[in-house]
mmCIF file with all atom_site columns, all heavy atoms in Angstrom:
data_model
loop_
_atom_site.group_PDB
_atom_site.id
_atom_site.type_symbol
_atom_site.label_atom_id
_atom_site.label_alt_id
_atom_site.label_comp_id
_atom_site.label_asym_id
_atom_site.label_entity_id
_atom_site.label_seq_id
_atom_site.pdbx_PDB_ins_code
_atom_site.Cartn_x
_atom_site.Cartn_y
_atom_site.Cartn_z
_atom_site.occupancy
_atom_site.B_iso_or_equiv
_atom_site.pdbx_formal_charge
_atom_site.auth_seq_id
_atom_site.auth_comp_id
_atom_site.auth_asym_id
_atom_site.auth_atom_id
_atom_site.pdbx_PDB_model_num
ATOM 1   N N   . GLU A 1 300 ? 74.864 -112.782 27.942 1.00 95.00 ? 300 GLU A N   1
ATOM 2   C CA  . GLU A 1 300 ? 73.667 -113.586 27.729 1.00 95.00 ? 300 GLU A CA  1
ATOM 3   C C   . GLU A 1 300 ? 73.503 -113.998 26.271 1.00 95.00 ? 300 GLU A C   1
ATOM 4   O O   . GLU A 1 300 ? 73.044 -115.107 25.978 1.00 95.00 ? 300 GLU A O   1
ATOM 5   C CB  . GLU A 1 300 ? 72.417 -112.823 28.186 1.00 95.00 ? 300 GLU A CB  1
ATOM 6   C CG  . GLU A 1 300 ? 71.159 -113.678 28.103 1.00 95.00 ? 300 GLU A CG  1
ATOM 7   C CD  . GLU A 1 300 ? 69.935 -113.014 28.690 1.00 95.00 ? 300 GLU A CD  1
ATOM 8   O OE1 . GLU A 1 300 ? 69.872 -111.760 28.702 1.00 95.00 ? 300 GLU A OE1 1
ATOM 9   O OE2 . GLU A 1 300 ? 69.031 -113.741 29.137 1.00 95.00 ? 300 GLU A OE2 1
ATOM 10  N N   . ASP A 1 301 ? 73.872 -113.140 25.334 1.00 95.00 ? 301 ASP A N   1
ATOM 11  C CA  . ASP A 1 301 ? 73.757 -113.487 23.916 1.00 95.00 ? 301 ASP A CA  1
ATOM 12  C C   . ASP A 1 301 ? 74.582 -114.729 23.587 1.00 95.00 ? 301 ASP A C   1
ATOM 13  O O   . ASP A 1 301 ? 74.184 -115.543 22.743 1.00 95.00 ? 301 ASP A O   1
ATOM 14  C CB  . ASP A 1 301 ? 74.216 -112.325 23.036 1.00 95.00 ? 301 ASP A CB  1
ATOM 15  C CG  . ASP A 1 301 ? 73.169 -111.222 22.952 1.00 95.00 ? 301 ASP A CG  1
ATOM 16  O OD1 . ASP A 1 301 ? 72.008 -111.470 23.335 1.00 95.00 ? 301 ASP A OD1 1
ATOM 17  O OD2 . ASP A 1 301 ? 73.516 -110.110 22.497 1.00 95.00 ? 301 ASP A OD2 1
ATOM 18  N N   . ASP A 1 302 ? 75.717 -114.894 24.235 1.00 97.00 ? 302 ASP A N   1
ATOM 19  C CA  . ASP A 1 302 ? 76.554 -116.069 23.996 1.00 97.00 ? 302 ASP A CA  1
ATOM 20  C C   . ASP A 1 302 ? 75.915 -117.332 24.581 1.00 97.00 ? 302 ASP A C   1
ATOM 21  O O   . ASP A 1 302 ? 76.036 -118.415 24.018 1.00 97.00 ? 302 ASP A O   1
ATOM 22  C CB  . ASP A 1 302 ? 77.949 -115.856 24.586 1.00 97.00 ? 302 ASP A CB  1
ATOM 23  C CG  . ASP A 1 302 ? 78.729 -114.786 23.841 1.00 97.00 ? 302 ASP A CG  1
ATOM 24  O OD1 . ASP A 1 302 ? 78.520 -114.652 22.619 1.00 97.00 ? 302 ASP A OD1 1
ATOM 25  O OD2 . ASP A 1 302 ? 79.530 -114.076 24.472 1.00 97.00 ? 302 ASP A OD2 1
ATOM 26  N N   . ILE A 1 303 ? 75.231 -117.174 25.711 1.00 97.00 ? 303 ILE A N   1
ATOM 27  C CA  . ILE A 1 303 ? 74.516 -118.308 26.301 1.00 97.00 ? 303 ILE A CA  1
ATOM 28  C C   . ILE A 1 303 ? 73.388 -118.748 25.375 1.00 97.00 ? 303 ILE A C   1
ATOM 29  O O   . ILE A 1 303 ? 73.183 -119.933 25.129 1.00 97.00 ? 303 ILE A O   1
ATOM 30  C CB  . ILE A 1 303 ? 73.944 -117.941 27.688 1.00 97.00 ? 303 ILE A CB  1
ATOM 31  C CG1 . ILE A 1 303 ? 75.064 -117.525 28.636 1.00 97.00 ? 303 ILE A CG1 1
ATOM 32  C CG2 . ILE A 1 303 ? 73.159 -119.121 28.270 1.00 97.00 ? 303 ILE A CG2 1
ATOM 33  C CD1 . ILE A 1 303 ? 74.571 -116.996 29.973 1.00 97.00 ? 303 ILE A CD1 1
ATOM 34  N N   . ILE A 1 304 ? 72.665 -117.763 24.847 1.00 94.00 ? 304 ILE A N   1
ATOM 35  C CA  . ILE A 1 304 ? 71.559 -118.060 23.935 1.00 94.00 ? 304 ILE A CA  1
ATOM 36  C C   . ILE A 1 304 ? 72.065 -118.744 22.673 1.00 94.00 ? 304 ILE A C   1
ATOM 37  O O   . ILE A 1 304 ? 71.456 -119.708 22.188 1.00 94.00 ? 304 ILE A O   1
ATOM 38  C CB  . ILE A 1 304 ? 70.794 -116.762 23.593 1.00 94.00 ? 304 ILE A CB  1
ATOM 39  C CG1 . ILE A 1 304 ? 70.054 -116.245 24.835 1.00 94.00 ? 304 ILE A CG1 1
ATOM 40  C CG2 . ILE A 1 304 ? 69.815 -116.999 22.438 1.00 94.00 ? 304 ILE A CG2 1
ATOM 41  C CD1 . ILE A 1 304 ? 69.425 -114.880 24.651 1.00 94.00 ? 304 ILE A CD1 1
ATOM 42  N N   . GLN A 1 305 ? 73.185 -118.269 22.148 1.00 96.00 ? 305 GLN A N   1
ATOM 43  C CA  . GLN A 1 305 ? 73.729 -118.879 20.938 1.00 96.00 ? 305 GLN A CA  1
ATOM 44  C C   . GLN A 1 305 ? 74.174 -120.311 21.209 1.00 96.00 ? 305 GLN A C   1
ATOM 45  O O   . GLN A 1 305 ? 73.988 -121.194 20.368 1.00 96.00 ? 305 GLN A O   1
ATOM 46  C CB  . GLN A 1 305 ? 74.900 -118.051 20.401 1.00 96.00 ? 305 GLN A CB  1
ATOM 47  C CG  . GLN A 1 305 ? 75.353 -118.511 19.026 1.00 96.00 ? 305 GLN A CG  1
ATOM 48  C CD  . GLN A 1 305 ? 76.341 -117.571 18.370 1.00 96.00 ? 305 GLN A CD  1
ATOM 49  O OE1 . GLN A 1 305 ? 76.623 -116.496 18.887 1.00 96.00 ? 305 GLN A OE1 1
ATOM 50  N NE2 . GLN A 1 305 ? 76.873 -117.962 17.226 1.00 96.00 ? 305 GLN A NE2 1
ATOM 51  N N   . TRP A 1 306 ? 74.764 -120.551 22.371 1.00 97.00 ? 306 TRP A N   1
ATOM 52  C CA  . TRP A 1 306 ? 75.136 -121.926 22.761 1.00 97.00 ? 306 TRP A CA  1
ATOM 53  C C   . TRP A 1 306 ? 73.906 -122.820 22.824 1.00 97.00 ? 306 TRP A C   1
ATOM 54  O O   . TRP A 1 306 ? 73.888 -123.920 22.275 1.00 97.00 ? 306 TRP A O   1
ATOM 55  C CB  . TRP A 1 306 ? 75.844 -121.893 24.124 1.00 97.00 ? 306 TRP A CB  1
ATOM 56  C CG  . TRP A 1 306 ? 76.001 -123.241 24.767 1.00 97.00 ? 306 TRP A CG  1
ATOM 57  C CD1 . TRP A 1 306 ? 76.918 -124.195 24.462 1.00 97.00 ? 306 TRP A CD1 1
ATOM 58  C CD2 . TRP A 1 306 ? 75.207 -123.779 25.832 1.00 97.00 ? 306 TRP A CD2 1
ATOM 59  N NE1 . TRP A 1 306 ? 76.743 -125.304 25.273 1.00 97.00 ? 306 TRP A NE1 1
ATOM 60  C CE2 . TRP A 1 306 ? 75.705 -125.074 26.117 1.00 97.00 ? 306 TRP A CE2 1
ATOM 61  C CE3 . TRP A 1 306 ? 74.117 -123.303 26.571 1.00 97.00 ? 306 TRP A CE3 1
ATOM 62  C CZ2 . TRP A 1 306 ? 75.152 -125.888 27.113 1.00 97.00 ? 306 TRP A CZ2 1
ATOM 63  C CZ3 . TRP A 1 306 ? 73.573 -124.114 27.563 1.00 97.00 ? 306 TRP A CZ3 1
ATOM 64  C CH2 . TRP A 1 306 ? 74.083 -125.376 27.826 1.00 97.00 ? 306 TRP A CH2 1
ATOM 65  N N   . ARG A 1 307 ? 72.861 -122.322 23.475 1.00 94.00 ? 307 ARG A N   1
ATOM 66  C CA  . ARG A 1 307 ? 71.614 -123.075 23.590 1.00 94.00 ? 307 ARG A CA  1
ATOM 67  C C   . ARG A 1 307 ? 71.030 -123.411 22.227 1.00 94.00 ? 307 ARG A C   1
ATOM 68  O O   . ARG A 1 307 ? 70.668 -124.565 21.955 1.00 94.00 ? 307 ARG A O   1
ATOM 69  C CB  . ARG A 1 307 ? 70.597 -122.253 24.396 1.00 94.00 ? 307 ARG A CB  1
ATOM 70  C CG  . ARG A 1 307 ? 69.219 -122.889 24.529 1.00 94.00 ? 307 ARG A CG  1
ATOM 71  C CD  . ARG A 1 307 ? 68.180 -121.847 24.916 1.00 94.00 ? 307 ARG A CD  1
ATOM 72  N NE  . ARG A 1 307 ? 67.971 -120.870 23.844 1.00 94.00 ? 307 ARG A NE  1
ATOM 73  C CZ  . ARG A 1 307 ? 67.248 -119.768 23.988 1.00 94.00 ? 307 ARG A CZ  1
ATOM 74  N NH1 . ARG A 1 307 ? 66.700 -119.472 25.149 1.00 94.00 ? 307 ARG A NH1 1
ATOM 75  N NH2 . ARG A 1 307 ? 67.084 -118.950 22.957 1.00 94.00 ? 307 ARG A NH2 1
ATOM 76  N N   . ASP A 1 308 ? 70.954 -122.400 21.348 1.00 92.00 ? 308 ASP A N   1
ATOM 77  C CA  . ASP A 1 308 ? 70.314 -122.601 20.049 1.00 92.00 ? 308 ASP A CA  1
ATOM 78  C C   . ASP A 1 308 ? 71.175 -123.430 19.096 1.00 92.00 ? 308 ASP A C   1
ATOM 79  O O   . ASP A 1 308 ? 70.648 -124.162 18.260 1.00 92.00 ? 308 ASP A O   1
ATOM 80  C CB  . ASP A 1 308 ? 70.000 -121.238 19.419 1.00 92.00 ? 308 ASP A CB  1
ATOM 81  C CG  . ASP A 1 308 ? 68.952 -120.467 20.207 1.00 92.00 ? 308 ASP A CG  1
ATOM 82  O OD1 . ASP A 1 308 ? 68.291 -121.072 21.073 1.00 92.00 ? 308 ASP A OD1 1
ATOM 83  O OD2 . ASP A 1 308 ? 68.805 -119.252 19.963 1.00 92.00 ? 308 ASP A OD2 1
ATOM 84  N N   . THR A 1 309 ? 72.496 -123.314 19.206 1.00 95.00 ? 309 THR A N   1
ATOM 85  C CA  . THR A 1 309 ? 73.392 -124.087 18.351 1.00 95.00 ? 309 THR A CA  1
ATOM 86  C C   . THR A 1 309 ? 73.175 -125.585 18.534 1.00 95.00 ? 309 THR A C   1
ATOM 87  O O   . THR A 1 309 ? 73.209 -126.355 17.565 1.00 95.00 ? 309 THR A O   1
ATOM 88  C CB  . THR A 1 309 ? 74.866 -123.735 18.638 1.00 95.00 ? 309 THR A CB  1
ATOM 89  O OG1 . THR A 1 309 ? 75.092 -122.366 18.305 1.00 95.00 ? 309 THR A OG1 1
ATOM 90  C CG2 . THR A 1 309 ? 75.816 -124.615 17.827 1.00 95.00 ? 309 THR A CG2 1
ATOM 91  N N   . TYR A 1 310 ? 72.916 -125.993 19.769 1.00 93.00 ? 310 TYR A N   1
ATOM 92  C CA  . TYR A 1 310 ? 72.740 -127.419 20.062 1.00 93.00 ? 310 TYR A CA  1
ATOM 93  C C   . TYR A 1 310 ? 71.282 -127.788 20.264 1.00 93.00 ? 310 TYR A C   1
ATOM 94  O O   . TYR A 1 310 ? 70.975 -128.866 20.788 1.00 93.00 ? 310 TYR A O   1
ATOM 95  C CB  . TYR A 1 310 ? 73.597 -127.795 21.274 1.00 93.00 ? 310 TYR A CB  1
ATOM 96  C CG  . TYR A 1 310 ? 75.062 -127.551 20.994 1.00 93.00 ? 310 TYR A CG  1
ATOM 97  C CD1 . TYR A 1 310 ? 75.710 -126.429 21.524 1.00 93.00 ? 310 TYR A CD1 1
ATOM 98  C CD2 . TYR A 1 310 ? 75.782 -128.377 20.141 1.00 93.00 ? 310 TYR A CD2 1
ATOM 99  C CE1 . TYR A 1 310 ? 77.040 -126.166 21.226 1.00 93.00 ? 310 TYR A CE1 1
ATOM 100 C CE2 . TYR A 1 310 ? 77.111 -128.108 19.826 1.00 93.00 ? 310 TYR A CE2 1
ATOM 101 C CZ  . TYR A 1 310 ? 77.735 -127.011 20.371 1.00 93.00 ? 310 TYR A CZ  1
ATOM 102 O OH  . TYR A 1 310 ? 79.051 -126.743 20.056 1.00 93.00 ? 310 TYR A OH  1
ATOM 103 N N   . ASN A 1 311 ? 70.386 -126.885 19.837 1.00 90.00 ? 311 ASN A N   1
ATOM 104 C CA  . ASN A 1 311 ? 68.942 -127.142 19.856 1.00 90.00 ? 311 ASN A CA  1
ATOM 105 C C   . ASN A 1 311 ? 68.474 -127.614 21.230 1.00 90.00 ? 311 ASN A C   1
ATOM 106 O O   . ASN A 1 311 ? 67.766 -128.608 21.371 1.00 90.00 ? 311 ASN A O   1
ATOM 107 C CB  . ASN A 1 311 ? 68.578 -128.194 18.792 1.00 90.00 ? 311 ASN A CB  1
ATOM 108 C CG  . ASN A 1 311 ? 67.092 -128.246 18.518 1.00 90.00 ? 311 ASN A CG  1
ATOM 109 O OD1 . ASN A 1 311 ? 66.384 -127.247 18.655 1.00 90.00 ? 311 ASN A OD1 1
ATOM 110 N ND2 . ASN A 1 311 ? 66.594 -129.420 18.143 1.00 90.00 ? 311 ASN A ND2 1
ATOM 111 N N   . LEU A 1 312 ? 68.886 -126.882 22.239 1.00 91.00 ? 312 LEU A N   1
ATOM 112 C CA  . LEU A 1 312 ? 68.509 -127.195 23.613 1.00 91.00 ? 312 LEU A CA  1
ATOM 113 C C   . LEU A 1 312 ? 67.314 -126.344 24.012 1.00 91.00 ? 312 LEU A C   1
ATOM 114 O O   . LEU A 1 312 ? 67.184 -125.194 23.585 1.00 91.00 ? 312 LEU A O   1
ATOM 115 C CB  . LEU A 1 312 ? 69.687 -126.927 24.559 1.00 91.00 ? 312 LEU A CB  1
ATOM 116 C CG  . LEU A 1 312 ? 70.967 -127.729 24.268 1.00 91.00 ? 312 LEU A CG  1
ATOM 117 C CD1 . LEU A 1 312 ? 72.117 -127.194 25.107 1.00 91.00 ? 312 LEU A CD1 1
ATOM 118 C CD2 . LEU A 1 312 ? 70.742 -129.210 24.518 1.00 91.00 ? 312 LEU A CD2 1
ATOM 119 N N   . HIS A 1 313 ? 66.452 -126.892 24.824 1.00 88.00 ? 313 HIS A N   1
ATOM 120 C CA  . HIS A 1 313 ? 65.232 -126.193 25.227 1.00 88.00 ? 313 HIS A CA  1
ATOM 121 C C   . HIS A 1 313 ? 65.097 -126.259 26.742 1.00 88.00 ? 313 HIS A C   1
ATOM 122 O O   . HIS A 1 313 ? 64.955 -127.338 27.315 1.00 88.00 ? 313 HIS A O   1
ATOM 123 C CB  . HIS A 1 313 ? 64.008 -126.811 24.553 1.00 88.00 ? 313 HIS A CB  1
ATOM 124 C CG  . HIS A 1 313 ? 64.064 -126.770 23.060 1.00 88.00 ? 313 HIS A CG  1
ATOM 125 N ND1 . HIS A 1 313 ? 63.630 -125.692 22.333 1.00 88.00 ? 313 HIS A ND1 1
ATOM 126 C CD2 . HIS A 1 313 ? 64.540 -127.667 22.154 1.00 88.00 ? 313 HIS A CD2 1
ATOM 127 C CE1 . HIS A 1 313 ? 63.818 -125.922 21.042 1.00 88.00 ? 313 HIS A CE1 1
ATOM 128 N NE2 . HIS A 1 313 ? 64.379 -127.119 20.912 1.00 88.00 ? 313 HIS A NE2 1
ATOM 129 N N   . PHE A 1 314 ? 65.137 -125.084 27.357 1.00 86.00 ? 314 PHE A N   1
ATOM 130 C CA  . PHE A 1 314 ? 65.092 -125.014 28.808 1.00 86.00 ? 314 PHE A CA  1
ATOM 131 C C   . PHE A 1 314 ? 63.879 -124.222 29.273 1.00 86.00 ? 314 PHE A C   1
ATOM 132 O O   . PHE A 1 314 ? 63.294 -123.448 28.524 1.00 86.00 ? 314 PHE A O   1
ATOM 133 C CB  . PHE A 1 314 ? 66.352 -124.350 29.351 1.00 86.00 ? 314 PHE A CB  1
ATOM 134 C CG  . PHE A 1 314 ? 67.627 -125.041 28.943 1.00 86.00 ? 314 PHE A CG  1
ATOM 135 C CD1 . PHE A 1 314 ? 68.529 -124.416 28.087 1.00 86.00 ? 314 PHE A CD1 1
ATOM 136 C CD2 . PHE A 1 314 ? 67.926 -126.307 29.407 1.00 86.00 ? 314 PHE A CD2 1
ATOM 137 C CE1 . PHE A 1 314 ? 69.702 -125.047 27.718 1.00 86.00 ? 314 PHE A CE1 1
ATOM 138 C CE2 . PHE A 1 314 ? 69.098 -126.944 29.040 1.00 86.00 ? 314 PHE A CE2 1
ATOM 139 C CZ  . PHE A 1 314 ? 69.990 -126.316 28.193 1.00 86.00 ? 314 PHE A CZ  1
ATOM 140 N N   . LEU A 1 315 ? 63.560 -124.377 30.554 1.00 76.00 ? 315 LEU A N   1
ATOM 141 C CA  . LEU A 1 315 ? 62.492 -123.595 31.152 1.00 76.00 ? 315 LEU A CA  1
ATOM 142 C C   . LEU A 1 315 ? 62.980 -122.180 31.426 1.00 76.00 ? 315 LEU A C   1
ATOM 143 O O   . LEU A 1 315 ? 64.137 -121.978 31.771 1.00 76.00 ? 315 LEU A O   1
ATOM 144 C CB  . LEU A 1 315 ? 62.064 -124.214 32.486 1.00 76.00 ? 315 LEU A CB  1
ATOM 145 C CG  . LEU A 1 315 ? 61.390 -125.585 32.439 1.00 76.00 ? 315 LEU A CG  1
ATOM 146 C CD1 . LEU A 1 315 ? 61.153 -126.079 33.852 1.00 76.00 ? 315 LEU A CD1 1
ATOM 147 C CD2 . LEU A 1 315 ? 60.080 -125.499 31.686 1.00 76.00 ? 315 LEU A CD2 1
ATOM 148 N N   . GLN A 1 316 ? 62.089 -121.204 31.256 1.00 69.00 ? 316 GLN A N   1
ATOM 149 C CA  . GLN A 1 316 ? 62.414 -119.864 31.725 1.00 69.00 ? 316 GLN A CA  1
ATOM 150 C C   . GLN A 1 316 ? 61.838 -119.683 33.114 1.00 69.00 ? 316 GLN A C   1
ATOM 151 O O   . GLN A 1 316 ? 62.472 -119.175 34.019 1.00 69.00 ? 316 GLN A O   1
ATOM 152 C CB  . GLN A 1 316 ? 61.842 -118.784 30.808 1.00 69.00 ? 316 GLN A CB  1
ATOM 153 C CG  . GLN A 1 316 ? 62.229 -117.395 31.325 1.00 69.00 ? 316 GLN A CG  1
ATOM 154 C CD  . GLN A 1 316 ? 61.200 -116.342 31.050 1.00 69.00 ? 316 GLN A CD  1
ATOM 155 O OE1 . GLN A 1 316 ? 60.191 -116.611 30.416 1.00 69.00 ? 316 GLN A OE1 1
ATOM 156 N NE2 . GLN A 1 316 ? 61.425 -115.145 31.534 1.00 69.00 ? 316 GLN A NE2 1
ATOM 157 N N   . CYS A 1 317 ? 60.602 -120.094 33.262 1.00 62.00 ? 317 CYS A N   1
ATOM 158 C CA  . CYS A 1 317 ? 59.914 -119.934 34.539 1.00 62.00 ? 317 CYS A CA  1
ATOM 159 C C   . CYS A 1 317 ? 59.150 -121.210 34.831 1.00 62.00 ? 317 CYS A C   1
ATOM 160 O O   . CYS A 1 317 ? 58.420 -121.697 33.981 1.00 62.00 ? 317 CYS A O   1
ATOM 161 C CB  . CYS A 1 317 ? 58.950 -118.751 34.471 1.00 62.00 ? 317 CYS A CB  1
ATOM 162 S SG  . CYS A 1 317 ? 57.849 -118.652 35.890 1.00 62.00 ? 317 CYS A SG  1
ATOM 163 N N   . ALA A 1 318 ? 59.335 -121.741 36.016 1.00 60.00 ? 318 ALA A N   1
ATOM 164 C CA  . ALA A 1 318 ? 58.648 -122.984 36.383 1.00 60.00 ? 318 ALA A CA  1
ATOM 165 C C   . ALA A 1 318 ? 57.609 -122.737 37.461 1.00 60.00 ? 318 ALA A C   1
ATOM 166 O O   . ALA A 1 318 ? 57.178 -123.658 38.133 1.00 60.00 ? 318 ALA A O   1
ATOM 167 C CB  . ALA A 1 318 ? 59.659 -124.022 36.857 1.00 60.00 ? 318 ALA A CB  1
ATOM 168 N N   . CYS A 1 319 ? 57.209 -121.480 37.641 1.00 61.00 ? 319 CYS A N   1
ATOM 169 C CA  . CYS A 1 319 ? 56.221 -121.165 38.661 1.00 61.00 ? 319 CYS A CA  1
ATOM 170 C C   . CYS A 1 319 ? 54.903 -121.872 38.360 1.00 61.00 ? 319 CYS A C   1
ATOM 171 O O   . CYS A 1 319 ? 54.437 -121.893 37.232 1.00 61.00 ? 319 CYS A O   1
ATOM 172 C CB  . CYS A 1 319 ? 55.988 -119.654 38.720 1.00 61.00 ? 319 CYS A CB  1
ATOM 173 S SG  . CYS A 1 319 ? 54.756 -119.175 39.943 1.00 61.00 ? 319 CYS A SG  1
#
Side-chain angles (χ1 to χ4, degrees):
E300 185 174 27
D301 283 345
D302 292 328
I303 301 173
I304 292 172
Q305 189 170 354
W306 167 78
R307 177 199 67 189
D308 294 346
T309 296
Y310 299 103
N311 195 29
L312 300 170
H313 300 273
F314 302 113
L315 293 175
Q316 181 212 357
C317 170
C319 179

